[in-house]
Amino acid sequence: MMVESASETIRTAPSNQNGVSSLSSQSDGGGGREAARQFLLQQASGLNSPGSTEIKQSPVQVPVSMAMMSPQMITPQQMQQILSPPQLQALLQQQQALMLQQVKCAHILTHTCASQLGSKQLAFQQQLIQMQQLQQQHILNLQRQGLVPLIKMQSSEQDDSNFIPSSLFPAMCPSDLQQLWKEVSGVQSSDEALKQAEGLDLSTNSSNSTSAFPKAASAHIPLHSLPNGQSHTPKRESHEEHASSHPLYGHGECKWPGCEALCEDMGQFIKHLNNEHALDDRSTAQCRVQMQVVQQLEIQLAKESERLQAMMTHLHMRPSEPKPFNQPLNLASSGSLLKRECDAYPEGLPHPPTSAATPITPLRQGPSVISSSSLHTHSHSHTHGVGPIRRRNSDKYCTPIASELAQNCEFYKNADVRPPFTYASLIRHAILESPDRQLTLNEIYNWFTRKFAYFRRNTATWKNAVRHNLSLHKCFVRVENVKGAVWTVDEVEYQKRRPPKMTGSPTLVKNMISGLGFGSLNASYQAALAESSLSLLNNPHLMSPPTAASLNMLHVGHDDVSSTVEQVNSNGSCSPTLSPQQYSHAVHVKEEPTELEEDSRPVSLLANVTHSLPLPSDERDLEEDLPMEELE
DNA sequence: TAAGCATTAAACATAG
DNA sequence: GCTATGTTTAATGCTT
């Protein structure tokens, strides 16, 4: 059953198929061909090595510690959303090449001993396939986590508004690529590779391992398991069975990203595949990207691991014990997992600066959302295009929004991952991030799409949600401006809607700590760390005494870092930093609703903290948390 | 189990 | 009439 599930995971066509055409359509444009060629050849020398030992040395190799980390951290849907389908495919192919040797063993074993071993052998084979597919998922997970630095690295020149970095794929003309593929694959032409990828050339599956990707593609198919849990070996599979399991074909349509062409049968699909999705610069570019992803991952892993150790040493924490990443954890129970992990830390001690739900791994660079909220929420995805995301848990327990965005800005900008924050939090963030702290609805839309790749699709859904939130929550105040209606944030109202906070009651504080405590504390702590490492350190004048900051960290129930930082920058009060009047003045709103002034919540303490110094534009993340209003 | 909250969907109104 | 904007209601699911 698990085998089938995993197989389905890999084969299932991703819901998001938007990015492919963008990716593939921008692979031309000039120079760098030779460099790209050299690079690919260089990489291919490792990828393509026929021997298993050489395969292990290939750039696609991922450290075991990484490969085995947190299989439960990401759902198939997430993987498919985060990685563009071609990336998924390319990654799978690489991984399958790596596993080819293992597959061979399984096949040989199956062929020679099936009659004697019977069900036991089948079970063994299934287990093997399970492990392989799990490994694939791990790799995918790692791949995704490494997507950020890759894209960032490669898209430094891109315009901020570009959804897909156009520089991802240095230009290589098709002829170059064809030749390159020949060199890469050694013997195979693209047509042969395609045939193998389609599973038509089964006879060579176990005999030819010189071509990494085409071979890997063909090797993938035997991994498919039948619904009854039995798996087929290549030679035993009939063509129909083989075809029916083609990863790019399902439900009568081509699953090639962005295609969805209807194919009545497998033959038609194969024809379609050959005609429309032949080997070209698209797949090559994806391959190239993938190579770099892996390389970056390894470099990044080393750096982040070192950083984590240093941080934990500094915090007098136990060195991170290697988490049982292969521990079979239920994806759907990540919420409880999250709490367990939060609770696992001794009271009074901060968590390591990783996401609360993230196993203590060196790979912190990946957005915490991936391992916590996204995992959780996407595991509940259903038919809706956007999917019902229940993220309050992560909002409260995990990484706040500003730090999350600060750390993973590029990631969210490019990866189709839903940010682990509520619409209200995001809207507020968008508004406070604006120069005047007021945005029109359309500007809010633009902020969403600019900041999150996730919100570049299903626009009707999330835009409706944005409007709904703007109207629903009192914290969003519509103001008639010269240019029209703009939306502002009423911080008091925003804080009001939060769960009970510590307003001085020791009992409440204690309850918060012991009850919600660690997750929230961790979130705040993370926020503090993140912010301190990003912005606050650049603005020491904004820092509060540690005691105050520590106290403020106890402020629970916030789903964004703004609040946390506000606390840090307040004088210890857990009340909102800003009064509505402050916002009113800051944005020169002419018609602020009177209810704002009527609010008598304890905001006066915050008046002591004023920041009239304009901040550099690149410190907006902090600025949004510390509006530069002057009290009058 | 109930309450509260977040999300999604939908209907409806209004203004340009 | 269309579109964007804004409001409201309902259903659903999750957390507390």
Side-chain angles (χ1 to χ4, degrees):
Chain A
M1 291 182 289
M2 185 174 174
V3 174
E4 173 64 18
S5 175
S7 177
E8 191 62 31
T9 292
I10 297 168
R11 291 183 291 109
T12 301
S15 58
N16 169 36
Q17 302 180 337
N18 292 338
V20 179
S21 58
S22 301
L23 286 168
S24 60
S25 62
Q26 307 185 35
S27 55
D28 58 4
R33 288 183 184 175
E34 185 58 30
R37 178 191 180 89
Q38 291 299 325
F39 177 86
L40 261 184
L41 286 173
Q42 201 173 14
Q43 301 303 314
S45 64
L47 288 173
N48 238 2
S49 301
S52 60
T53 56
E54 293 177 354
I55 288 177
K56 289 177 182 177
Q57 296 168 351
S58 73
V60 295
Q61 183 199 13
V62 176
V64 174
S65 60
M66 293 176 63
M68 296 303 292
M69 59 185 288
S70 57
Q72 74 287 359
M73 287 169 59
I74 183 168
T75 66
Q77 292 86 350
Q78 268 188 282
M79 281 188 257
Q80 292 161 358
Q81 288 184 338
I82 295 163
L83 283 179
S84 67
Q87 284 181 309
L88 282 169
Q89 188 181 11
L91 184 61
L92 283 177
Q93 289 172 347
Q94 295 174 34
Q95 181 61 21
Q96 285 156 2
L98 194 63
M99 296 187 303
L100 187 59
Q101 299 301 321
Q102 304 171 23
V103 178
K104 283 183 184 176
C105 294
H107 291 167
I108 293 171
L109 212 53
T110 302
H111 291 165
T112 57
C113 307
S115 58
Q116 292 95 340
L117 299 181
S119 60
K120 287 184 179 179
Q121 181 55 47
L122 285 174
F124 168 77
Q125 188 176 356
Q126 290 175 21
Q127 285 185 341
L128 182 62
I129 294 171
Q130 267 185 318
M131 293 174 59
Q132 292 164 351
Q133 290 174 339
L134 199 60
Q135 193 177 3
Q136 288 178 339
Q137 293 192 7
H138 297 169
I139 298 297
L140 284 170
N141 182 24
L142 296 171
Q143 183 69 70
R144 180 201 49 69
Q145 293 185 349
L147 201 55
V148 183
L150 171 81
I151 293 176
K152 186 175 184 177
M153 170 193 68
Q154 297 183 327
S155 62
S156 57
E157 301 173 2
Q158 78 179 50
D159 184 274
D160 186 61
S161 62
N162 286 347
F163 295 164
I164 303 298
S166 59
S167 57
L168 270 176
F169 309 112
M172 292 185 73
C173 69
S175 59
D176 283 348
L177 292 167
Q178 291 287 342
Q179 178 61 29
L180 185 57
W181 271 112
K182 287 181 181 178
E183 297 177 29
V184 166
S185 59
V187 294
Q188 286 182 308
S189 68
S190 60
D191 288 341
E192 289 169 335
L194 268 179
K195 283 183 179 180
Q196 283 199 342
E198 293 157 9
L200 298 178
D201 188 3
L202 300 177
S203 61
T204 60
N205 275 351
S206 58
S207 59
N208 183 359
S209 60
T210 59
S211 176
F213 295 113
K215 171 53 60 185
S218 62
H220 167 73
I221 295 173
L223 296 180
H224 171 64
S225 299
L226 295 178
N228 61 5
Q230 295 181 342
S231 59
H232 285 278
T233 58
K235 294 181 179 179
R236 288 183 179 182
E237 265 187 318
S238 68
H239 179 80
E240 288 74 15
E241 286 173 328
H242 198 94
S244 65
S245 64
H246 196 289
L248 290 175
Y249 183 65
H251 302 293
E253 65 179 23
C254 175
K255 297 298 185 181
W256 191 279
C259 178
E260 298 180 353
L262 296 177
C263 303
E264 293 181 356
D265 54 24
M266 196 62 190
Q268 186 179 349
F269 164 72
I270 295 299
K271 188 177 180 180
H272 162 80
L273 197 62
N274 283 323
N275 292 336
E276 303 297 330
H277 308 303
L279 181 64
D280 54 12
D281 53 353
R282 175 190 305 179
S283 55
T284 307
Q286 291 289 339
C287 168
R288 185 177 179 278
V289 169
Q290 216 52 44
M291 293 174 184
Q292 296 186 1
V293 166
V294 175
Q295 284 187 330
Q296 287 298 316
L297 267 176
E298 296 195 357
I299 296 171
Q300 186 181 322
L301 171 64
K303 291 169 63 178
E304 295 301 324
S305 178
E306 185 178 1
R307 179 189 297 181
L308 174 63
Q309 290 300 322
M311 293 169 75
M312 297 184 67
T313 300
H314 171 70
L315 296 173
H316 307 289
M317 299 183 66
R318 292 180 306 173
S320 61
E321 298 176 2
K323 280 275 184 175
F325 297 130
N326 52 352
Q327 182 180 355
L329 292 173
N330 188 354
L331 285 170
S333 63
S334 59
S336 55
L337 165 67
L338 181 146
K339 286 203 67 174
R340 285 198 302 271
E341 292 201 0
C342 291
D343 293 340
Y345 287 90
E347 192 168 326
L349 275 181
H351 290 194
T354 57
S355 176
T358 306
I360 304 176
T361 71
L363 198 69
R364 186 176 174 261
Q365 190 75 9
S368 55
V369 53
I370 291 158
S371 53
S372 56
S373 56
S374 288
L375 161 71
H376 178 69
T377 58
H378 281 265
S379 66
H380 296 286
S381 298
H382 57 82
T383 56
H384 298 304
V386 176
I389 310 300
R390 309 294 177 215
R391 293 170 282 106
R392 284 200 297 155
N393 201 19
S394 13
D395 286 352
K396 294 181 179 179
Y397 286 85
C398 299
T399 314
I401 186 170
S403 63
E404 178 78 27
L405 294 181
Q407 295 176 66
N408 307 299
C409 171
E410 290 299 318
F411 177 83
Y412 288 119
K413 198 176 290 184
N414 296 290
D416 189 17
V417 174
R418 181 170 187 140
F421 307 106
T422 62
Y423 280 110
S425 298
L426 291 171
I427 294 169
R428 172 179 173 268
H429 190 84
I431 293 173
L432 297 187
E433 198 182 69
S434 67
D436 296 330
R437 290 179 180 76
Q438 58 182 11
L439 289 176
T440 65
L441 179 63
N442 194 50
E443 288 170 337
I444 295 174
Y445 289 162
N446 292 335
W447 185 89
F448 271 69
T449 53
R450 187 173 65 250
K451 293 289 186 179
F452 305 97
Y454 182 85
F455 291 118
R456 287 161 201 158
R457 57 189 180 90
N458 299 107
T459 55
T461 299
W462 66 261
K463 283 182 177 179
N464 187 17
V466 167
R467 292 194 303 271
H468 167 77
N469 274 265
L470 285 171
S471 295
L472 186 68
H473 298 302
K474 293 179 182 177
C475 59
F476 299 120
V477 180
R478 184 175 177 273
V479 178
E480 288 293 335
N481 203 349
V482 179
K483 299 181 293 184
V486 294
W487 289 92
T488 61
V489 177
D490 180 347
E491 276 298 299
V492 173
E493 286 295 336
Y494 184 83
Q495 302 298 332
K496 268 184 182 178
R497 72 184 187 89
R498 315 309 295 171
K501 307 182 192 69
M502 285 152 298
T503 55
S505 166
T507 303
L508 181 56
V509 172
K510 179 181 178 182
N511 290 340
M512 288 296 183
I513 295 174
S514 59
L516 294 173
F518 292 121
S520 303
L521 177 61
N522 179 46
S524 299
Y525 180 68
Q526 292 175 57
L529 283 178
E531 290 297 327
S532 63
S533 66
L534 292 171
S535 302
L536 290 179
L537 288 181
N538 296 330
N539 299 274
H541 65 285
L542 299 178
M543 300 286 285
S544 297
T547 51
S550 303
L551 179 60
N552 287 322
M553 286 178 191
L554 301 179
H555 185 101
V556 298
H558 282 261
D559 57 356
D560 62 34
V561 74
S562 306
S563 302
T564 303
V565 178
E566 285 159 8
Q567 316 310 317
V568 171
N569 289 281
S570 72
N571 61 1
S573 167
C574 292
S575 303
T577 305
L578 293 175
S579 68
Q581 295 91 331
Q582 289 172 312
Y583 271 104
S584 227
H585 292 296
V587 300
H588 304 291
V589 171
K590 292 171 290 189
E591 303 176 12
E592 198 71 21
T594 54
E595 68 176 58
L596 300 178
E597 280 77 17
E598 292 170 356
D599 193 299
S600 59
R601 291 170 59 85
V603 296
S604 59
L605 290 175
L606 305 167
N608 293 332
V609 183
T610 59
H611 312 288
S612 56
L613 295 177
L615 297 174
S617 58
D618 57 350
E619 294 172 351
R620 185 70 55 72
D621 277 339
L622 173 64
E623 183 184 356
E624 61 125 324
D625 298 318
L626 299 165
M628 298 176 294
E629 72 295 337
E630 292 107 3
L631 294 178
E632 297 179 3

